[in-house]
Amino acid sequence: MLSSTNGFYEINCDFLKYDGKNEVAYSSGNVRIKKSGLELFSDKAVFNRKENRILLDGSVRITDSTTTITCVSADYNIRTDTALLKGVRVFQKPFYIAGREALKKGDEYFFKDAYITTCDLIPPHYKISCSRMRLKREDDVSMWNVFLSFHGIPVLYFPYYWQKIGDKKWDLSVRAGNSSTKGGFVKTKFIWRFTKKFKVALLNDYFGKLGYGKGIEMEYKKTDLYSDFYAYHINEKNTGLRNINVKQRHWQRLPRNFILQLDFEWQDYSTFDWDYRKDEVLVAKPTYLRSRGSVSRSAPDYYFRFSGYRNETLSGIDFVPSEVNAPEVYFRLNPHRLLFLKYDLSYDFLRKYYPSGGFADYTNIHSANFRIYESYRLLRWFTFFPRLGYSFHKIQSRSPLNYYFHNVNFSLNFYRPVRLDFTHNYKIKTDGSVVLNTVSFADEYRPFHGAVFRQFVTYDIGKKAVPFGYRFSALSNKLEMRIFRLKFYYKNYFQIPTAATTYWEAETGNGFFSTRLAHSAAEKNFVNLFQRFNFSLGKWRIMLRGRFYFRYNGFKMSSDSLTEKEISVKRNLHCWDMFLRYLVTPSRREFWVFFNVAAFPNKPMGVYHDAVDGEWSFRKK
């Protein structure tokens, strides 16, 4: 441990010699010098305590929290944070920068005869090389006499190039192509980040058959506040029909943990969907104004919300309300304990607007629920779980509807592999009329490890007037098994009165494949087969998926039976990723291939084809 005017240094090495007169330490053999978050490694080192200067030679490596530097030799002045580096290579995730020589001044590096890449190989698959380079850590890079090369072959030259490598101030996404419904089109989105919390996006689109569209998106986000705004406008080229959509959302945490939420939307007449495609039915969607707002608070003991909602549609020159909740007050008391029981309750008040019908324009609606419950283990193999409650519902001046209800569950597990559950659901009005009276039965059987069989059925006691068998719901049966890595399950629904299976499905698979068969009685003699394969061929990762719909009576299968198909291929090209997908469904036919630098998985570019819309386009995000 050595001290200097700049603090203490920890030196580890095989050999150390100290010159006390000149205050210089000579070290060699696996040298490691450490100070706070800075570490220096080399074969040899000379440390001058007076100047806070370290000369490193042989297999030099310098690391801190964000940067790793390797070089042949280094002259490092720690006091001024400057260094002269020979044969240098700098890694600042995700970039690798190498040069014949570099001068480090704090967070800035000045390189000579250098290149930058995201490929970690030496030599890299691709690189941007230059005669001079200035790099500012986690900020930007400037280069002069720039060549872009692949496998050592130059393909592009720029006299000067600048690139943001930290949090970029701006982004540009482009989508260009041709479509049968849109014609030739170009869609652009330019994003400018004013701060880390606030950004604006300008939308500029041109459609050969539809016209010119423009819009704006704004977003402000921090820990306790989020707000965004969206507006888009396009006039139909041939008819002049105006299409406008405006949206505003706001979320904010108020003092004392209250939450404020506001939403507003205005949609003008439109014959386009969100992707600017003409609707099949050329009927203009109504112009509407829609808004909602709420203030809520969630606490361990309760939840409270005060909210309102209003939807208006244009009628003539006036907006007419079609649905209004003004206001709604909801309160829920979370489970509390009283002696040996738990209880909870909820209350909802709604002042709702009815434009027509047997109610007043604005009608007051009250609803409330109260429950008491607890779970008791009476024996090791017997659990009793009763829930009792009262429900209240009242509309304006009409007579209220009052209900008593209970839900009582018995669970038996006297033999470990077998579990039985009985549940009685009962609901009765205060005038004595029974609304619900059912008994449910469920069982679970585990014959061996990795296998479980479950059944469930409900019997309606109140259906005394119907034949006995029709009082039962469909009997649900499900078998699940796992043998080594192979999974299997079978499920069906069985109608007791007709002794017929109305639906069944079975599936088996593992990480490599899955096969699922499904049949419904409504589609007599037909079955759906869903098949999927996942596998790798070297660096190729492939997924094949298909859906077959065919007649199993006589087993007639043809090319028309394949109603859905999908092929996905992903290839790791070391510093590049390629993704290809081909998808066909009854409503979609798509093909796309995208490439992106592996270091930037969210910045792909590629070609997209939609056969349904007749679209070919180039996309860059």
Side-chain angles (χ1 to χ4, degrees):
M1 183 76 73
L2 292 177
S3 65
S4 72
T5 57
N6 204 40
F8 288 91
Y9 294 83
E10 178 185 335
I11 301 178
N12 295 282
C13 58
D14 296 336
F15 174 79
L16 178 66
K17 178 182 177 181
Y18 182 69
D19 182 351
K21 182 179 180 181
N22 297 310
E23 297 188 37
V24 176
Y26 301 89
S27 54
S28 61
N30 300 311
V31 179
R32 177 174 177 261
I33 302 174
K34 184 177 181 182
K35 179 185 181 297
S36 302
L38 179 67
E39 289 188 279
L40 302 97
F41 303 84
S42 66
D43 294 333
K44 299 178 182 179
V46 178
F47 179 27
N48 189 314
R49 292 180 61 196
K50 291 181 178 179
E51 300 178 0
N52 274 306
R53 182 181 176 189
I54 302 177
L55 301 177
L56 304 166
D57 186 57
S59 303
V60 178
R61 180 160 57 94
I62 304 171
T63 64
D64 60 20
S65 58
T66 60
T67 306
T68 298
I69 302 172
T70 57
C71 57
V72 176
S73 63
D75 183 350
Y76 199 158
N77 189 316
I78 298 179
R79 179 185 299 163
T80 60
D81 194 18
T82 59
L84 180 62
L85 312 167
K86 301 286 187 178
V88 61
R89 180 178 170 89
V90 178
F91 175 61
Q92 289 186 356
K93 191 176 181 179
F95 296 102
Y96 295 87
I97 308 100
R100 177 173 57 84
E101 180 180 297
L103 176 63
K104 178 184 184 302
K105 292 184 177 181
D107 288 339
E108 288 187 292
Y109 295 80
F110 299 87
F111 293 86
K112 292 182 179 179
D113 300 330
Y115 71 78
I116 183 170
T117 183
T118 58
C119 178
D120 60 353
L121 296 180
I122 302 177
H125 287 152
Y126 82 97
K127 62 182 179 180
I128 303 174
S129 55
C130 60
S131 59
R132 287 192 300 127
M133 180 190 301
R134 171 193 166 275
L135 170 71
K136 188 170 184 180
R137 179 159 58 178
E138 298 183 340
D139 192 352
D140 63 359
V141 59
S142 302
M143 293 178 281
W144 290 262
N145 297 320
V146 184
F147 287 91
L148 171 63
S149 58
F150 294 91
H151 295 279
I153 302 174
V155 296
L156 202 62
Y157 171 78
F158 295 100
Y160 175 79
Y161 182 76
W162 175 87
Q163 173 70 53
K164 185 77 173 176
I165 61 174
D167 294 331
K168 291 181 65 177
K169 279 286 187 181
W170 62 272
D171 270 315
L172 177 66
S173 63
V174 180
R175 179 179 171 187
N178 186 72
S179 164
S180 60
T181 56
K182 307 169 192 169
F185 65 88
V186 178
K187 298 175 64 176
T188 64
K189 184 176 183 178
F190 178 77
I191 301 173
W192 183 266
R193 296 175 179 86
F194 287 88
T195 66
K196 291 183 177 181
K197 300 175 182 177
F198 179 60
K199 66 179 180 180
V200 174
L202 300 178
L203 312 176
N204 283 279
D205 306 331
Y206 175 76
F207 307 96
K209 293 184 178 180
L210 305 182
Y212 177 66
K214 46 193 174 293
I216 186 171
E217 295 178 355
M218 294 188 290
E219 181 184 279
Y220 182 80
K221 179 169 60 175
K222 61 180 186 177
T223 305
D224 55 357
L225 188 149
Y226 176 85
S227 185
D228 64 27
F229 175 81
Y230 167 86
Y232 192 86
H233 170 236
I234 181 171
N235 288 338
E236 190 173 353
K237 190 174 182 179
N238 296 328
T239 64
L241 187 64
R242 186 177 68 171
N243 301 268
I244 298 177
N245 189 270
V246 178
K247 289 184 176 182
Q248 168 71 54
R249 295 183 302 169
H250 183 84
W251 179 94
Q252 185 174 357
R253 186 180 298 278
L254 303 176
R256 303 186 66 84
N257 288 325
F258 279 92
I259 301 296
L260 171 67
Q261 296 184 78
L262 301 171
D263 291 271
F264 171 81
E265 183 177 355
W266 171 40
Q267 169 70 62
D268 197 7
Y269 282 107
S270 177
T271 56
F272 298 91
D273 63 16
W274 287 106
D275 199 33
Y276 319 121
R277 297 179 181 175
K278 291 281 285 188
D279 287 347
E280 293 182 2
V281 181
L282 299 181
V283 177
K285 299 174 183 178
T287 294
Y288 64 80
L289 284 171
R290 186 176 297 159
S291 59
R292 59 171 60 87
S294 70
V295 175
S296 61
R297 187 176 193 270
S298 181
D301 292 334
Y302 68 89
Y303 173 78
F304 167 81
R305 183 182 69 244
F306 180 87
S307 61
Y309 172 80
R310 187 177 184 89
N311 187 78
E312 299 180 350
T313 56
L314 188 65
S315 178
I317 60 173
D318 298 321
F319 280 95
V320 178
S322 58
E323 184 179 357
V324 181
N325 297 337
E328 181 178 10
V329 181
Y330 176 79
F331 175 81
R332 182 185 71 241
L333 184 67
N334 293 329
H336 281 63
R337 177 169 292 279
L338 178 64
L339 299 177
F340 54 90
L341 293 172
K342 292 180 181 177
Y343 68 92
D344 61 23
L345 63 87
S346 64
Y347 171 76
D348 183 75
F349 168 77
L350 174 62
R351 187 171 180 262
K352 191 174 183 66
Y353 174 79
Y354 289 92
S356 61
F359 300 101
D361 284 350
Y362 282 93
T363 302
N364 296 331
I365 303 173
H366 301 264
S367 299
N369 282 279
F370 174 75
R371 296 189 311 165
I372 56 174
Y373 55 92
E374 186 54 282
S375 178
Y376 303 98
R377 181 179 288 274
L378 303 180
L379 298 171
R380 184 177 180 182
W381 49 268
F382 179 50
T383 302
F384 175 54
F385 186 15
R387 283 161 287 191
L388 310 175
Y390 170 77
S391 177
F392 170 84
H393 187 75
K394 188 177 187 303
I395 300 178
Q396 199 71 1
S397 59
R398 295 188 176 190
S399 300
L401 298 174
N402 302 287
Y403 302 94
Y404 296 106
F405 62 87
H406 73 244
N407 178 286
V408 181
N409 172 264
F410 300 90
S411 181
L412 306 176
N413 192 206
F414 51 84
Y415 176 53
R416 179 169 292 183
V418 178
R419 177 188 174 97
L420 304 176
D421 282 276
F422 302 89
T423 304
H424 183 218
N425 284 289
Y426 185 76
K427 189 173 183 179
I428 185 174
K429 292 182 180 180
T430 52
D431 61 7
S433 56
V434 178
V435 178
L436 178 68
N437 189 7
T438 63
V439 176
S440 299
F441 168 80
D443 69 86
E444 181 179 289
Y445 176 49
R446 298 178 180 270
F448 54 86
H449 179 71
V452 57
F453 176 69
R454 296 183 177 93
Q455 289 183 303
F456 178 83
V457 70
T458 298
Y459 175 75
D460 195 332
I461 301 173
K463 292 183 177 180
K464 296 180 179 179
V466 302
F468 179 76
Y470 289 92
R471 302 175 193 174
F472 290 90
S473 68
L475 173 64
S476 170
N477 302 281
K478 186 173 183 180
L479 172 64
E480 296 180 81
M481 296 178 62
R482 183 184 180 96
I483 302 175
F484 299 106
R485 294 186 178 183
L486 188 66
K487 295 180 180 179
F488 170 82
Y489 88 83
Y490 173 80
K491 179 174 67 174
N492 73 2
Y493 294 100
F494 182 78
Q495 292 292 343
I496 294 175
T498 59
T501 299
T502 57
Y503 176 83
W504 62 262
E505 69 178 34
E507 182 174 358
T508 185
N510 55 20
F512 169 68
F513 82 99
S514 73
T515 302
R516 182 164 72 95
L517 286 167
H519 167 70
S520 173
E523 301 171 312
K524 190 175 181 180
N525 295 331
F526 281 89
V527 68
N528 277 291
L529 168 63
F530 301 86
Q531 184 66 57
R532 177 181 56 82
F533 293 98
N534 289 300
F535 57 94
S536 298
L537 295 175
K539 294 183 178 181
W540 296 86
R541 290 165 49 192
I542 302 170
M543 189 276 286
L544 306 176
R545 181 181 69 85
R547 177 186 177 185
F548 299 86
Y549 181 72
F550 61 93
R551 180 187 295 274
Y552 65 85
N553 185 10
F555 196 73
K556 294 181 180 180
M557 183 183 290
S558 64
S559 58
D560 295 335
S561 303
L562 184 59
T563 59
E564 295 182 14
K565 49 192 171 184
E566 180 181 359
I567 302 173
S568 295
V569 179
K570 186 172 183 180
R571 170 68 193 271
N572 185 321
L573 305 172
H574 185 72
C575 46
W576 293 78
D577 286 330
M578 182 192 76
F579 185 74
L580 179 147
R581 186 185 187 198
Y582 173 68
L583 173 67
V584 175
T585 70
S587 60
R588 298 168 62 192
R589 284 181 292 162
E590 298 177 349
F591 170 80
W592 37 294
V593 56
F594 278 83
F595 293 88
N596 64 266
V597 178
F600 305 101
N602 60 337
K603 301 289 184 183
M605 58 178 155
V607 176
Y608 170 81
H609 174 55
D610 181 354
V612 174
D613 193 38
E615 175 186 327
W616 283 95
S617 63
F618 169 79
R619 298 183 180 184
K620 175 187 177 296
K621 185 176 180 180

